Amino acid sequence: KAGVTQTPRYLIKTRGQQVTLSCSPISGHRSVSWYQQTPGQGLQFLFEYFSETQRNKGNFPGRFSGRQFSNSRSEMNVSTLELGDSALYLCASKGQQRTPQYFGPGTRLLVL
Amino acid sequence: KNEVEQSPQNLTAQEGEFITINCSYSVGISALHWLQQHPGGGIVSLFMLSSGKKKHGRLIATINIQEKHSSLHITASHPRDSAVYICAVGVDSNYQLIWGAGTKLIIKP
């Protein structure tokens, strides 16, 4: 099976812009979670989608949103970018309950 | 106090040494994960544990549910083992994970 893929791998934006990141889970996986990783805050949970519904949400402002499509692919959107949004955004997919999450390579976002 | 604590934060060792990274948690968990993150960001899931011990190649992970403690061991360490090792615990059936801060491991040749 192909692994979790994320596009783009690298992105440079300026403050105030918006960005959309994409994640394609492992075939058959219906759960997709998004994480933000920064040097100062470590890994932080953004949200989880399951069968096109947001099932869990972390403590991030409303500028961070996501969605999941019927094929389980997920997108994450960040509007009105701030310098502090510069981070590695990781996506992970999971199959059945009590199985591991599998991570994508991440999208490295730099906000100038 | 963080709910998941890892130690040490940084570890430098010589090639061939036996490595131990510790993880303690303070919440009830459904499973504990050990993950490896290489420079550049890619994260690989190494183990998922809910009890006992698992072994994969030179890597061994153990968990003591009563003591709320897990260890990751690397035998015959190699420079390619240099990475950040992260402990994360799943606290409910939806598997939202609580992450440790990571242990940065450097193995010198």
Side-chain angles (χ1 to χ4, degrees), chain A residues 39-94:
Chain A
Q41 298 291 325
L43 269 159
Q44 295 190 89
F45 172 74
L46 280 154
F47 28 66
E48 183 207 2
Y49 284 87
F50 182 85
S51 292
E52 301 178 65
T53 301
Q54 188 180 85
R55 190 160 68 170
N56 285 296
K57 188 176 188 302
N59 190 26
F60 276 80
R63 299 186 298 108
F64 291 81
S65 63
R67 60 178 176 168
Q68 187 180 33
F69 302 94
S70 57
N71 61 358
S72 293
R73 188 177 71 85
S74 177
E75 287 183 347
M76 190 193 94
N77 187 76
V78 188
S79 62
T80 320
L81 283 166
E82 300 177 0
L83 295 179
D85 297 333
S86 295
L88 179 69
Y89 290 89
L90 290 158
C91 157
S93 76
K94 189 164 76 69

Side-chain angles (χ1 to χ4, degrees), chain A residues 5 7 13-14 16 19 43 51 60 63 76 79 99 105 108:
Chain A
T5 57
T7 56
K13 291 284 188 178
T14 56
V19 67
L43 269 159
S51 292
F60 276 80
R63 299 186 298 108
M76 190 193 94
S79 62
T99 58
R108 193 168 292 279

Side-chain angles (χ1 to χ4, degrees), chain A residues 9-10 35 37 43-45 48 55-58 88 90 94 97-101 103-105 108, chain B residues 30-31 33 35 37 39-45 48 50 86 92-97 99-101:
Chain A
R9 293 293 311 278
Y10 302 93
Y35 299 87
Q37 185 180 36
L43 269 159
Q44 295 190 89
F45 172 74
E48 183 207 2
R55 190 160 68 170
N56 285 296
K57 188 176 188 302
L88 179 69
L90 290 158
K94 189 164 76 69
Q97 273 194 357
R98 297 188 180 277
T99 58
Q101 286 185 316
F103 285 83
R108 193 168 292 279
Chain B
S30 46
H33 301 253
L35 308 114
Q37 184 173 31
I43 289 183
V44 175
S45 181
M48 185 176 78
S50 52
I86 303 168
D92 57 35
S93 59
N94 289 330
Y95 270 68
Q96 185 173 332
L97 298 177
W99 301 83

Side-chain angles (χ1 to χ4, degrees), chain B residues 27-84:
Chain B
V27 295
I29 69 168
S30 46
L32 182 142
H33 301 253
W34 280 103
L35 308 114
Q36 180 193 55
Q37 184 173 31
H38 279 283
I43 289 183
V44 175
S45 181
L46 297 173
F47 296 103
M48 185 176 78
L49 293 163
S50 52
S51 65
K53 176 180 174 178
K54 286 189 177 180
K55 184 175 190 293
H56 185 139
R58 295 180 295 105
L59 300 176
I60 304 166
T62 63
I63 188 168
N64 185 318
I65 298 295
Q66 287 72 32
E67 294 185 5
K68 296 190 173 180
H69 180 269
S70 175
S71 293
L72 176 69
H73 304 286
I74 305 175
T75 61
S77 59
H78 191 276
R80 64 174 174 267
D81 297 326
S82 299
V84 175

